[in-house]
Amino acid sequence: MSSRSALPSTPVAPATVLAAAVRSGERTALDVLEEHLARISDHEVDVHAFNLVLEDRARESAAAVDARVAAGGDPGPLAGVPVALKDNLCTRGVATTCSSRILEGWEPPYDATVVQRLAAAGAVVVGKTNLDEFAMGSSTEHSATGPTRNPHDLDRVPGGSSGGSAAAVAAGFAPVALGSDTGGSIRQPAALCGVVGVKPTYGLVSRLGLVAFASSLDQVGPFAATVADAALVCEVVGGHDPGDSTSLPQDFPRVLAHLDDGVEGMRIGLVTEMLGEGIAVDVAARVRAAAEALTAAGAEVEEVSIPAVTYGLSAYYLVAPAEASSNLARYDGVRYGRRVDAPTAGEMMVATRTAGFGDEVKRRIVLGTYALSAGYYDAFYGKALRVRTLIREEFDAAYERLDALISPASPTTAFAFGDKTADPVQMYLNDVCTIPSNLAGHPALSVPFGVGDDGLPVGVQVMAPALGEVAAFRVAAVLESVAPSAGAPS
Amino acid sequence: MSDRPERISAEEVDAVARLAMLALTEDQVERFAHQLADVLDHAADIEALDLDGVEPMARPVRVVNVLRPDEPGPALDRDEVLGQAPAAEDGQFRVPPVLGGAP
């Protein structure tokens, strides 16, 4: 591990501390922003977390926050907190590329609901972060703007698809960031970059203005250096949105109020199927150490078998591409983004899509179209939807006795560039522990818990039943308090 | 790669890509056929499951018809929307001829 090239460690204040300082007038939002912009200016060239850094707009937002404080107002719970946004979240008048050539030059005509809510809470957007094209990938290598590097080891991937957001928080470019998670795209990069990442219950956070990948699985959530910061961002961006027909008619659960509750008396399951074959021995050992820590904190921990989760990967790689093939039909060179001219509309659409999409996106569109085609629909897509029911039913049965489940968030620590790009199945196996929660619609998060044999971060996944965010955050807060090392680069 | 027939042929990949309005290169067609065959091989585990009587789950949230009050409200600005299109004319999106070649 001495040969690793990591970013120098700099202590970065959590969002909760920064917002309190800005609200009280102890620090200005502009001062907080400049501190983070300086770090971006020093290290972004090595990391490539961002597709776009918004220095000028961020300075205007920060100045507006300071003006409100000076006038005696309260800018809100994220006053002056720099945030990074995954570049598949719409920002009005600001390029939103999904790291795809096909959206080159597009500036959305509206802000995503989560972006509006961050701004209303006083947050300052510092930039749009890199991702695997249209959020399809587990390493951020499938990006038209080039890969993001892991701040803990610049020769390794940050995970994906929200690799830019995870790296931005790990590098101290912003204390918090938003990502999206369709099969693990928040939790897996959070694990590989040593930060906290949360995928809320499906329907708790608005998808309006999140560029759609697989609509029945996609969910927006935060990255943060601390569990409390992640909880704060969840409460700010979550809750009902009339503009999203799948939005649940309720507020985000009050997780902040329960962070100090501990786990005394909680019943927690260690998922057998997520500790054996395919899981690195050192990662599994960290998860067992987490189980021991929870036991020591007063929880009852037992192993539990949930056999259906072993079918999650197969079901996901039929359901998600099927939905993607439909969602990505909209990129036809007519309404937004790039167009490649041709004599007829049909030829123009083929030329535009062929030039605009990268290989992984094309692969998934073909797979999804195939899975939905006559003759294969029942064998593949129809079967996969029934597996979703099976997984949810087995989870629900476990949650009759248990309050939460734990597992690895990722089967390994961060891997090297190029390791898995030639073999899609190997790449897809990165999501084997995270996919079941998406298929079920349940909340799950990743919290750092020490390092593997290579000295790189390991994330423990905490899963809970639908709307069980309070239980997941209580477990995460305890694990954070006893974790062997902090999330900052070593 | 074994001697047994692949689960998806190069011809099928090419045909499906055309349905999805993608023109793949010969190299892509060959590569995708092998890679997608691997994915479908992996999916053989669920193909083999007997799931009769298990309801399909298309989404985690029960979908009900969500209606908003029928009141006029702010909408996207038409010029701003059309300004993002590759081509627009007379307040509409402009596309090449749908049938035949250029006039």
Side-chain angles (χ1 to χ4, degrees), chain B residues 11-57:
Chain B
E11 291 71 29
E12 282 177 297
V13 167
D14 193 46
V16 170
R18 284 171 199 280
L19 288 175
M21 306 201 83
L22 293 170
L24 302 183
T25 64
E26 231 169 275
D27 167 66
Q28 278 175 322
V29 169
E30 289 294 329
R31 197 155 32 88
F32 285 13
H34 292 311
Q35 291 169 332
L36 296 181
D38 286 347
V39 176
L40 295 173
D41 273 342
H42 194 279
D45 60 353
I46 66 168
E47 227 185 330
L49 285 177
D50 178 6
L51 295 173
D52 285 350
V54 178
E55 285 295 309
M57 172 181 170

Side-chain angles (χ1 to χ4, degrees), chain A residues 92 107 314 339 344 389, chain B residues 35 45 55 80 84 94 100:
Chain A
R92 187 172 185 174
E107 293 176 355
S314 289
R339 170 184 293 185
T344 67
T389 303
Chain B
Q35 291 169 332
D45 60 353
E55 285 295 309
E80 198 178 345
Q84 291 299 316
R94 183 184 160 87

Side-chain angles (χ1 to χ4, degrees), chain A residues 464-484:
Chain A
L467 305 174
E469 270 81 357
V470 167
F473 271 93
R474 284 173 63 189
V475 173
V478 166
L479 290 178
E480 178 182 57
S481 70
V482 298

